[in-house]
Amino acid sequence: DTEVTQTPKHLVMGMTNKKSLKCEQHMGHRAMYWYKQKAKKPPELMFVYSYEKLSINESVPSRFSPECPNSSLLNLHLHALQPEDSALYLCASSQGAGLAGPPSYEQYFGPGTRLTVT
Amino acid sequence: GQQVMQIPQYQHVQEGEDFTTYCNSSTTLSNIQWYKQRPGGHPVFLIQLVKSGEVKKQKRLTFQFGEAKKNSSLHITATQTTDVGTYFCAGPLGGANNLFFGTGTRLTVIP
């Protein structure tokens, strides 16, 4: 199974709502990632989890809160978002986290959650 | 900060023509990866280059990593409609797996 799944596929939320995005992989990968992608732009790294521990936070606003309950699951909790947070949120996983240095590992991306904040 | 630029931003080609996208980094990269994202889809890993001057081929796709490890290219021979999508290069920022994606090149193939 080389698939990363994400739910929901689409989400519309108001600025006062609390919602969560979910990601799951069963490839035994030990690193998982959240990316944000605006239309016609490249994916931007938000969070990296390595062995279920948050290893990097790319200065993401606190209204985004990641959680890694176990090695197969990754959540992104959303609260008090702004309209400019509307984007495609991609989850990815890789075999290792490469913390010891190169080479990097190929990343497997999920289909994404398209988020609209109204 | 680190920048990874790709040119061209857009490319329209007739089916059967060749296509090349160039990736340039402001800093030396330990390795570089290439991804393809179809319209409405998600990035899919194509290849990783590690060695200076490395060249790898996948059927009609040829990937090169520059001698200085600051640039890379992807060349597609005889494009097909299935090649449509945006091609991203990506290099590590900080940790080896903290990928910084290039600006991307959107390829349109006209049948």
Side-chain angles (χ1 to χ4, degrees):
Chain A
D1 183 2
T2 58
E3 188 179 45
V4 176
T5 59
Q6 290 187 243
T7 56
K9 289 186 178 180
H10 301 274
L11 178 63
V12 179
M13 61 184 291
M15 290 188 285
T16 58
N17 291 159
K18 289 185 180 181
K19 296 288 184 181
S20 296
L21 309 184
K22 298 184 182 301
C23 174
E24 189 168 5
Q25 58 88 13
H26 294 288
M27 294 178 277
H29 288 174
R30 302 317 303 264
M32 297 185 76
Y33 313 82
W34 281 115
Y35 289 86
K36 174 183 178 180
Q37 186 176 28
K38 302 281 277 184
K40 299 183 181 180
K41 297 293 185 181
E44 295 179 10
L45 183 63
M46 299 175 70
F47 300 105
V48 179
Y49 271 87
S50 170
Y51 295 90
E52 301 161 46
K53 293 185 178 180
L54 183 63
S55 64
I56 189 169
N57 178 335
E58 291 291 329
S59 301
V60 177
S62 60
R63 56 186 184 268
F64 295 92
S65 176
E67 178 194 19
C68 189
N70 59 57
S71 60
S72 300
L73 295 174
L74 187 65
N75 298 322
L76 186 62
H77 302 298
L78 314 173
H79 173 57
L81 295 193
Q82 303 298 311
E84 59 265 28
D85 296 322
S86 297
L88 179 67
Y89 287 84
L90 293 160
C91 173
S93 69
S94 66
Q95 180 182 350
L99 296 177
S104 306
Y105 293 93
E106 64 181 276
Q107 296 190 12
Y108 292 79
F109 283 80
T113 293
R114 192 161 297 280
L115 173 68
T116 302
V117 182
T118 62
Chain B
Q2 180 174 359
Q3 291 187 346
V4 182
M5 304 296 293
Q6 287 182 247
I7 55 171
Q9 187 176 2
Y10 302 97
Q11 183 79 61
H12 291 72
V13 299
Q14 289 287 144
E15 188 173 16
E17 291 182 339
D18 293 356
F19 159 77
T20 304
T21 172
Y22 299 91
C23 173
N24 296 289
S25 171
S26 58
T27 59
T28 300
L29 300 171
S30 58
N31 60 81
I32 196 160
Q33 297 183 3
W34 284 90
Y35 289 81
K36 175 184 178 182
Q37 186 172 20
R38 293 180 184 273
H42 57 276
V44 175
F45 175 83
L46 294 177
I47 208 159
Q48 177 170 260
L49 304 171
V50 179
K51 299 177 182 177
S52 170
E54 189 170 14
V55 178
K56 286 189 176 180
K57 292 189 176 183
Q58 288 181 349
K59 297 183 180 179
R60 295 178 294 105
L61 278 60
T62 302
F63 303 84
Q64 292 188 329
F65 200 10
E67 294 289 342
K69 302 184 78 173
K70 295 181 71 174
N71 57 75
S72 181
S73 66
L74 159 59
H75 178 81
I76 302 178
T77 303
T79 55
Q80 300 175 358
T81 54
T82 53
D83 296 324
V84 166
T86 301
Y87 292 85
F88 293 103
C89 61
L93 171 67
N97 267 6
N98 301 342
L99 291 182
F100 190 93
F101 279 74
T103 49
T105 295
R106 178 173 295 186
L107 173 64
T108 300
V109 179
I110 304 164

